[in-house]
Short mmCIF file of all heavy atoms in Angstrom, two decimals:
data_model
loop_
_atom_site.label_atom_id
_atom_site.label_comp_id
_atom_site.label_asym_id
_atom_site.label_seq_id
_atom_site.Cartn_x
_atom_site.Cartn_y
_atom_site.Cartn_z
N GLU A 1420 165.58 201.04 31.29
CA GLU A 1420 166.24 202.31 31.59
C GLU A 1420 166.99 202.84 30.37
O GLU A 1420 167.03 204.05 30.12
CB GLU A 1420 167.22 202.11 32.75
CG GLU A 1420 167.79 203.39 33.31
CD GLU A 1420 166.75 204.24 34.03
OE1 GLU A 1420 165.80 203.68 34.60
OE2 GLU A 1420 166.91 205.48 34.01
N LEU A 1421 167.59 201.94 29.59
CA LEU A 1421 168.36 202.36 28.42
C LEU A 1421 167.48 202.96 27.35
O LEU A 1421 167.79 204.00 26.76
CB LEU A 1421 169.12 201.15 27.86
CG LEU A 1421 169.89 201.37 26.55
CD1 LEU A 1421 170.98 202.42 26.73
CD2 LEU A 1421 170.48 200.04 26.06
N TYR A 1422 166.35 202.30 27.08
CA TYR A 1422 165.44 202.73 26.02
C TYR A 1422 164.11 202.03 26.25
O TYR A 1422 164.07 200.80 26.41
CB TYR A 1422 166.02 202.36 24.65
CG TYR A 1422 165.32 203.00 23.47
CD1 TYR A 1422 165.61 204.31 23.11
CD2 TYR A 1422 164.41 202.30 22.69
CE1 TYR A 1422 165.00 204.92 22.01
CE2 TYR A 1422 163.79 202.89 21.60
CZ TYR A 1422 164.09 204.20 21.27
OH TYR A 1422 163.48 204.79 20.18
N GLY A 1423 163.03 202.79 26.30
CA GLY A 1423 161.73 202.20 26.57
C GLY A 1423 160.98 201.87 25.29
O GLY A 1423 161.53 201.86 24.20
N GLY A 1424 159.69 201.60 25.45
CA GLY A 1424 158.86 201.27 24.30
C GLY A 1424 158.65 199.79 24.14
O GLY A 1424 159.21 198.96 24.85
N ASN A 1425 157.85 199.44 23.14
CA ASN A 1425 157.42 198.05 22.99
C ASN A 1425 158.47 197.13 22.41
O ASN A 1425 158.36 195.90 22.54
CB ASN A 1425 156.15 197.99 22.12
CG ASN A 1425 156.38 198.48 20.70
OD1 ASN A 1425 157.09 199.46 20.48
ND2 ASN A 1425 155.76 197.83 19.74
N LYS A 1426 159.51 197.66 21.76
CA LYS A 1426 160.49 196.80 21.10
C LYS A 1426 161.30 195.97 22.08
O LYS A 1426 161.78 194.88 21.73
CB LYS A 1426 161.42 197.62 20.23
CG LYS A 1426 160.72 198.56 19.26
CD LYS A 1426 159.75 197.83 18.35
CE LYS A 1426 159.05 198.80 17.40
NZ LYS A 1426 158.03 198.11 16.57
N VAL A 1427 161.46 196.45 23.30
CA VAL A 1427 162.33 195.78 24.27
C VAL A 1427 161.82 194.38 24.58
O VAL A 1427 162.61 193.42 24.69
CB VAL A 1427 162.45 196.62 25.55
CG1 VAL A 1427 163.48 196.00 26.50
CG2 VAL A 1427 162.81 198.05 25.23
N ARG A 1428 160.52 194.22 24.72
CA ARG A 1428 159.96 192.91 25.04
C ARG A 1428 160.27 191.88 23.94
O ARG A 1428 160.56 190.72 24.23
CB ARG A 1428 158.44 193.02 25.22
CG ARG A 1428 158.00 193.83 26.43
CD ARG A 1428 156.49 193.82 26.51
NE ARG A 1428 155.93 194.61 27.60
CZ ARG A 1428 155.67 194.18 28.83
NH1 ARG A 1428 155.93 192.92 29.14
NH2 ARG A 1428 155.15 194.98 29.73
N LYS A 1429 160.20 192.29 22.69
CA LYS A 1429 160.51 191.38 21.58
C LYS A 1429 161.99 191.05 21.55
O LYS A 1429 162.39 189.89 21.33
CB LYS A 1429 160.10 192.02 20.25
CG LYS A 1429 158.64 192.40 20.13
CD LYS A 1429 158.38 193.14 18.81
CE LYS A 1429 156.96 193.63 18.71
NZ LYS A 1429 156.72 194.36 17.45
N LEU A 1430 162.83 192.06 21.78
CA LEU A 1430 164.27 191.86 21.68
C LEU A 1430 164.80 190.92 22.76
O LEU A 1430 165.85 190.29 22.57
CB LEU A 1430 164.98 193.21 21.75
CG LEU A 1430 164.77 194.12 20.53
CD1 LEU A 1430 165.32 195.52 20.81
CD2 LEU A 1430 165.42 193.53 19.28
N GLU A 1431 164.12 190.81 23.88
CA GLU A 1431 164.56 189.87 24.90
C GLU A 1431 164.67 188.45 24.33
O GLU A 1431 165.61 187.71 24.65
CB GLU A 1431 163.58 189.87 26.08
CG GLU A 1431 163.66 191.11 26.94
CD GLU A 1431 162.95 190.93 28.27
OE1 GLU A 1431 161.81 190.40 28.28
OE2 GLU A 1431 163.53 191.32 29.29
N TYR A 1432 163.73 188.08 23.50
CA TYR A 1432 163.72 186.73 22.91
C TYR A 1432 164.58 186.66 21.65
O TYR A 1432 165.33 185.71 21.46
CB TYR A 1432 162.28 186.32 22.60
CG TYR A 1432 161.45 186.10 23.84
CD1 TYR A 1432 160.72 187.16 24.41
CD2 TYR A 1432 161.39 184.87 24.46
CE1 TYR A 1432 159.98 186.97 25.57
CE2 TYR A 1432 160.64 184.67 25.61
CZ TYR A 1432 159.94 185.73 26.16
OH TYR A 1432 159.21 185.54 27.31
N VAL A 1433 164.46 187.68 20.81
CA VAL A 1433 165.15 187.64 19.52
C VAL A 1433 166.66 187.74 19.68
O VAL A 1433 167.42 186.98 19.07
CB VAL A 1433 164.62 188.77 18.61
CG1 VAL A 1433 165.41 188.84 17.32
CG2 VAL A 1433 163.12 188.57 18.30
N LEU A 1434 167.13 188.66 20.52
CA LEU A 1434 168.57 188.81 20.71
C LEU A 1434 169.16 187.65 21.49
O LEU A 1434 170.33 187.28 21.29
CB LEU A 1434 168.88 190.14 21.40
CG LEU A 1434 168.62 191.39 20.58
CD1 LEU A 1434 168.98 192.64 21.38
CD2 LEU A 1434 169.41 191.36 19.26
N CYS A 1435 168.38 187.05 22.37
CA CYS A 1435 168.85 185.85 23.07
C CYS A 1435 169.14 184.73 22.09
O CYS A 1435 170.18 184.07 22.17
CB CYS A 1435 167.82 185.41 24.10
SG CYS A 1435 168.34 183.98 25.09
N ARG A 1436 168.24 184.55 21.15
CA ARG A 1436 168.46 183.50 20.15
C ARG A 1436 169.67 183.82 19.27
O ARG A 1436 170.46 182.92 18.94
CB ARG A 1436 167.21 183.31 19.28
CG ARG A 1436 167.39 182.25 18.21
CD ARG A 1436 166.09 181.66 17.73
NE ARG A 1436 165.43 180.88 18.77
CZ ARG A 1436 164.39 180.08 18.54
NH1 ARG A 1436 163.90 179.95 17.31
NH2 ARG A 1436 163.83 179.40 19.52
N ALA A 1437 169.84 185.07 18.89
CA ALA A 1437 171.00 185.46 18.09
C ALA A 1437 172.29 185.13 18.84
O ALA A 1437 173.23 184.55 18.27
CB ALA A 1437 170.94 186.95 17.77
N ARG A 1438 172.35 185.49 20.10
CA ARG A 1438 173.54 185.22 20.90
C ARG A 1438 173.78 183.73 21.05
O ARG A 1438 174.91 183.24 20.89
CB ARG A 1438 173.38 185.87 22.28
CG ARG A 1438 174.58 185.74 23.19
CD ARG A 1438 174.22 186.09 24.62
NE ARG A 1438 173.22 185.16 25.16
CZ ARG A 1438 172.68 185.28 26.37
NH1 ARG A 1438 173.01 186.29 27.15
NH2 ARG A 1438 171.78 184.39 26.81
N ASP A 1439 172.71 182.98 21.34
CA ASP A 1439 172.85 181.54 21.58
C ASP A 1439 173.22 180.78 20.32
O ASP A 1439 173.80 179.69 20.40
CB ASP A 1439 171.56 180.98 22.17
CG ASP A 1439 171.29 181.47 23.58
OD1 ASP A 1439 172.21 182.09 24.18
OD2 ASP A 1439 170.17 181.26 24.09
N ARG A 1440 172.90 181.33 19.15
CA ARG A 1440 173.24 180.68 17.89
C ARG A 1440 174.62 181.13 17.36
O ARG A 1440 174.98 180.78 16.25
CB ARG A 1440 172.16 180.96 16.85
CG ARG A 1440 170.79 180.36 17.20
CD ARG A 1440 170.76 178.86 17.09
NE ARG A 1440 169.49 178.29 17.50
CZ ARG A 1440 168.43 178.15 16.70
NH1 ARG A 1440 168.51 178.53 15.43
NH2 ARG A 1440 167.31 177.62 17.15
N GLY A 1441 175.34 181.88 18.16
CA GLY A 1441 176.71 182.23 17.79
C GLY A 1441 176.85 183.39 16.82
O GLY A 1441 177.88 183.50 16.14
N ALA A 1442 175.88 184.27 16.77
CA ALA A 1442 175.97 185.42 15.87
C ALA A 1442 177.12 186.33 16.30
O ALA A 1442 177.40 186.50 17.49
CB ALA A 1442 174.66 186.20 15.87
N ARG A 1443 177.76 186.94 15.33
CA ARG A 1443 178.82 187.92 15.58
C ARG A 1443 178.33 189.34 15.32
O ARG A 1443 179.01 190.30 15.66
CB ARG A 1443 180.03 187.62 14.69
CG ARG A 1443 180.70 186.29 14.96
CD ARG A 1443 181.49 186.31 16.25
NE ARG A 1443 182.15 185.04 16.51
CZ ARG A 1443 183.33 184.69 16.00
NH1 ARG A 1443 183.97 185.52 15.19
NH2 ARG A 1443 183.86 183.52 16.28
N ARG A 1444 177.20 189.46 14.69
CA ARG A 1444 176.64 190.76 14.33
C ARG A 1444 175.13 190.60 14.20
O ARG A 1444 174.63 189.51 13.89
CB ARG A 1444 177.24 191.27 13.02
CG ARG A 1444 176.61 192.53 12.44
CD ARG A 1444 177.34 193.02 11.20
NE ARG A 1444 178.66 193.55 11.55
CZ ARG A 1444 178.87 194.82 11.89
NH1 ARG A 1444 177.87 195.68 11.90
NH2 ARG A 1444 180.09 195.23 12.18
N VAL A 1445 174.41 191.68 14.43
CA VAL A 1445 172.96 191.72 14.24
C VAL A 1445 172.65 192.73 13.14
O VAL A 1445 173.33 193.76 13.02
CB VAL A 1445 172.25 192.11 15.56
CG1 VAL A 1445 170.78 192.44 15.31
CG2 VAL A 1445 172.36 190.99 16.58
N ALA A 1446 171.65 192.43 12.34
CA ALA A 1446 171.19 193.39 11.33
C ALA A 1446 169.67 193.47 11.39
O ALA A 1446 169.00 192.48 11.71
CB ALA A 1446 171.62 192.98 9.93
N THR A 1447 169.15 194.64 11.09
CA THR A 1447 167.70 194.77 11.04
C THR A 1447 167.32 195.88 10.07
O THR A 1447 168.17 196.52 9.46
CB THR A 1447 167.12 195.04 12.44
OG1 THR A 1447 165.71 194.80 12.41
CG2 THR A 1447 167.39 196.46 12.92
N PHE A 1448 166.01 196.08 9.93
CA PHE A 1448 165.45 196.99 8.94
C PHE A 1448 164.54 198.00 9.62
O PHE A 1448 164.01 197.76 10.70
CB PHE A 1448 164.65 196.21 7.90
CG PHE A 1448 165.38 195.04 7.31
CD1 PHE A 1448 165.32 193.79 7.91
CD2 PHE A 1448 166.15 195.19 6.17
CE1 PHE A 1448 166.01 192.71 7.37
CE2 PHE A 1448 166.85 194.12 5.63
CZ PHE A 1448 166.77 192.88 6.23
N GLY A 1449 164.34 199.12 8.95
CA GLY A 1449 163.41 200.13 9.44
C GLY A 1449 163.48 201.36 8.58
O GLY A 1449 164.10 201.35 7.51
N THR A 1450 162.85 202.41 9.04
CA THR A 1450 163.00 203.70 8.41
C THR A 1450 164.07 204.49 9.17
O THR A 1450 164.55 204.04 10.21
CB THR A 1450 161.67 204.46 8.43
OG1 THR A 1450 161.24 204.61 9.79
CG2 THR A 1450 160.61 203.73 7.63
N VAL A 1451 164.40 205.66 8.67
CA VAL A 1451 165.47 206.45 9.29
C VAL A 1451 165.20 206.72 10.77
O VAL A 1451 166.10 206.63 11.60
CB VAL A 1451 165.66 207.77 8.51
CG1 VAL A 1451 166.51 208.76 9.29
CG2 VAL A 1451 166.29 207.49 7.16
N GLY A 1452 163.96 207.02 11.10
CA GLY A 1452 163.63 207.32 12.49
C GLY A 1452 163.08 206.14 13.27
O GLY A 1452 162.50 206.32 14.35
N SER A 1453 163.27 204.93 12.77
CA SER A 1453 162.67 203.73 13.35
C SER A 1453 163.07 203.52 14.81
O SER A 1453 164.25 203.43 15.14
CB SER A 1453 163.08 202.51 12.53
OG SER A 1453 162.80 201.31 13.22
N ASN A 1454 162.07 203.41 15.68
CA ASN A 1454 162.32 203.05 17.07
C ASN A 1454 162.86 201.63 17.17
O ASN A 1454 163.71 201.33 18.02
CB ASN A 1454 161.03 203.18 17.89
CG ASN A 1454 160.58 204.61 18.04
OD1 ASN A 1454 161.33 205.46 18.54
ND2 ASN A 1454 159.38 204.90 17.61
N HIS A 1455 162.35 200.75 16.32
CA HIS A 1455 162.82 199.37 16.35
C HIS A 1455 164.31 199.28 16.00
O HIS A 1455 165.08 198.60 16.68
CB HIS A 1455 162.02 198.50 15.38
CG HIS A 1455 162.72 197.23 15.04
ND1 HIS A 1455 162.88 196.19 15.95
CD2 HIS A 1455 163.34 196.83 13.90
CE1 HIS A 1455 163.56 195.21 15.37
NE2 HIS A 1455 163.85 195.58 14.14
N ALA A 1456 164.71 199.94 14.93
CA ALA A 1456 166.11 199.89 14.52
C ALA A 1456 167.01 200.44 15.61
O ALA A 1456 168.07 199.87 15.92
CB ALA A 1456 166.31 200.65 13.21
N LEU A 1457 166.59 201.54 16.22
CA LEU A 1457 167.40 202.15 17.27
C LEU A 1457 167.47 201.25 18.50
O LEU A 1457 168.55 201.05 19.07
CB LEU A 1457 166.82 203.52 17.63
CG LEU A 1457 167.63 204.36 18.61
CD1 LEU A 1457 169.07 204.52 18.15
CD2 LEU A 1457 166.97 205.72 18.83
N ALA A 1458 166.33 200.72 18.92
CA ALA A 1458 166.33 199.83 20.08
C ALA A 1458 167.19 198.60 19.83
O ALA A 1458 167.96 198.16 20.71
CB ALA A 1458 164.90 199.42 20.42
N THR A 1459 167.09 198.02 18.64
CA THR A 1459 167.89 196.84 18.32
C THR A 1459 169.38 197.15 18.42
O THR A 1459 170.16 196.39 19.01
CB THR A 1459 167.55 196.32 16.92
OG1 THR A 1459 166.16 195.99 16.86
CG2 THR A 1459 168.37 195.08 16.58
N ALA A 1460 169.79 198.28 17.85
CA ALA A 1460 171.20 198.65 17.87
C ALA A 1460 171.69 198.89 19.30
O ALA A 1460 172.79 198.44 19.68
CB ALA A 1460 171.41 199.90 17.02
N LEU A 1461 170.89 199.59 20.11
CA LEU A 1461 171.30 199.90 21.47
C LEU A 1461 171.43 198.64 22.33
O LEU A 1461 172.42 198.46 23.05
CB LEU A 1461 170.31 200.87 22.11
CG LEU A 1461 170.28 202.29 21.53
CD1 LEU A 1461 169.12 203.08 22.12
CD2 LEU A 1461 171.59 203.02 21.79
N PHE A 1462 170.44 197.77 22.26
CA PHE A 1462 170.47 196.58 23.11
C PHE A 1462 171.43 195.52 22.59
O PHE A 1462 172.02 194.77 23.37
CB PHE A 1462 169.06 196.02 23.29
CG PHE A 1462 168.22 196.85 24.21
CD1 PHE A 1462 167.22 197.68 23.72
CD2 PHE A 1462 168.44 196.82 25.58
CE1 PHE A 1462 166.46 198.46 24.57
CE2 PHE A 1462 167.67 197.59 26.45
CZ PHE A 1462 166.68 198.42 25.94
N ALA A 1463 171.60 195.44 21.28
CA ALA A 1463 172.60 194.51 20.75
C ALA A 1463 173.99 194.87 21.26
O ALA A 1463 174.79 193.98 21.61
CB ALA A 1463 172.57 194.54 19.22
N ARG A 1464 174.28 196.16 21.33
CA ARG A 1464 175.59 196.58 21.82
C ARG A 1464 175.81 196.14 23.27
O ARG A 1464 176.95 195.80 23.65
CB ARG A 1464 175.72 198.11 21.71
CG ARG A 1464 177.11 198.61 22.07
CD ARG A 1464 177.20 200.12 21.97
NE ARG A 1464 178.54 200.58 22.30
CZ ARG A 1464 178.89 201.85 22.42
NH1 ARG A 1464 177.98 202.80 22.24
NH2 ARG A 1464 180.12 202.18 22.73
N THR A 1465 174.75 196.15 24.10
CA THR A 1465 174.92 195.71 25.48
C THR A 1465 175.29 194.24 25.57
O THR A 1465 175.84 193.79 26.58
CB THR A 1465 173.63 195.95 26.31
OG1 THR A 1465 172.59 195.08 25.86
CG2 THR A 1465 173.18 197.40 26.21
N LEU A 1466 175.00 193.48 24.51
CA LEU A 1466 175.35 192.06 24.45
C LEU A 1466 176.64 191.82 23.68
O LEU A 1466 177.00 190.68 23.41
CB LEU A 1466 174.21 191.27 23.81
CG LEU A 1466 172.85 191.36 24.50
CD1 LEU A 1466 171.81 190.54 23.75
CD2 LEU A 1466 172.95 190.88 25.94
#
């Protein structure tokens, strides 16, 4: 509901590992209009 597209399926696993390993911040790469960068930022904030 927050943001659709293919990135959400990957982030379920990747952000879980970040959280479980005690991360305090997430960083990622993309272009200015990157759907991946935007999805990562939006879902990381929910965690």
